[in-house]
Amino acid sequence: MKRDPASAKLPPRMEEELMASLKARFEAHPERHPEVGWKEVAARISENPEKLRSLHRMEETGGEPDVVGRDEVTGELLYFDCSPETPDGRRSVCYDREGLESRKTHRPDHNAVELAAEIGIELLTEEQYLHLQSLGEFDVKTSSWLKTPEDVRKLGGAIFGDRRFGRVFIYHNGAQSYYAARGFRGCLRL
């Protein structure tokens, strides 16, 4: 989905409210980012205003985005959806367009891969999901689609994760499946 460059900037009041929410969440969860300071985060957002729109979309769909660390290779800060359960504004979706189109009846309105792209994020990988789960307990009642390896996807499947019985599980399902309690979590690089 192409965006009009003029629409990249949020209205000032909305920007202020979002920055206040992001800062409050950042300060409330220092265990998620022990080696990152808010000044660095605010500076990176200021340098990349288009990322603020993506953070806003993550927030408005229930993701509760927060910094969870830094990419060791690129140095980018990583924002993940840190809501206790998979974001409620992104549930009941198939994995991707191919999965959606393969459904003959009862198609959901959207799919995880394209919705993530519209928001400006990527689905969490299995490794990123396990990192998130090391920071707390997430998806104890829901599940989240994860970026699926190509070899699994070629066979018609897709992977998802959740936490049950005090453990994190990574499962598989047909990419066309969707459930009211399954959505997706995303990553925004800053």
Side-chain angles (χ1 to χ4, degrees):
M1 175 178 171
K2 290 189 175 186
R3 290 194 173 93
D4 176 0
S7 70
K9 193 143 174 69
L10 293 173
R13 181 173 170 83
M14 193 179 287
E15 186 175 317
E16 289 171 18
E17 290 172 359
L18 178 59
M19 287 298 289
S21 292
L22 294 173
K23 183 179 182 187
R25 185 174 300 121
F26 183 90
E27 291 174 345
H29 298 282
E31 72 283 0
R32 293 178 183 163
H33 36 258
E35 298 182 19
V36 179
W38 178 252
K39 282 186 177 182
E40 179 184 4
V41 176
R44 296 254 184 134
I45 291 172
S46 179
E47 294 165 6
N48 300 281
E50 73 284 358
K51 303 286 184 166
L52 197 57
R53 182 161 292 280
S54 294
L55 287 165
H56 172 68
R57 293 287 316 276
M58 290 172 82
E59 187 75 30
E60 75 179 355
T61 56
E64 300 180 24
D66 197 10
V67 176
V68 297
R70 186 184 311 274
D71 184 298
E72 293 178 14
V73 176
T74 66
E76 295 167 304
L77 297 178
L78 301 174
Y79 258 100
F80 286 4
D81 289 303
C82 292
S83 54
E85 302 299 336
T86 198
D88 61 3
R90 300 186 227 149
R91 295 182 192 174
S92 296
V93 293
C94 292
Y95 178 72
D96 61 7
R97 170 65 53 187
E98 184 181 343
L100 180 70
E101 290 180 355
S102 72
R103 293 192 66 88
K104 303 295 183 218
T105 60
H106 307 294
R107 286 186 178 177
D109 293 333
H110 227 309
N111 69 78
V113 171
E114 290 179 343
L115 187 52
E118 287 177 17
I119 293 171
I121 59 178
E122 298 176 354
L123 268 66
L124 293 186
T125 64
E126 183 175 357
E127 180 182 0
Q128 290 170 332
Y129 189 75
L130 293 173
H131 174 68
L132 175 67
Q133 290 284 6
S134 76
L135 301 174
E137 294 192 0
F138 300 92
D139 289 338
V140 297
K141 297 176 187 171
T142 58
S143 61
S144 296
W145 286 117
L146 303 174
K147 186 172 182 175
T148 299
E150 194 57 39
D151 60 330
V152 173
R153 190 61 201 97
K154 283 181 181 176
L155 296 172
I159 62 172
F160 66 95
D162 63 25
R163 180 184 287 271
R164 301 291 191 272
F165 309 108
R167 300 182 66 143
V168 178
F169 292 93
I170 305 297
Y171 306 89
H172 62 88
N173 215 177
Q176 76 282 2
S177 65
Y178 72 99
Y179 302 93
R182 182 171 309 148
F184 69 93
R185 294 176 180 276
C187 171
L188 177 73
R189 296 173 171 275
L190 185 61

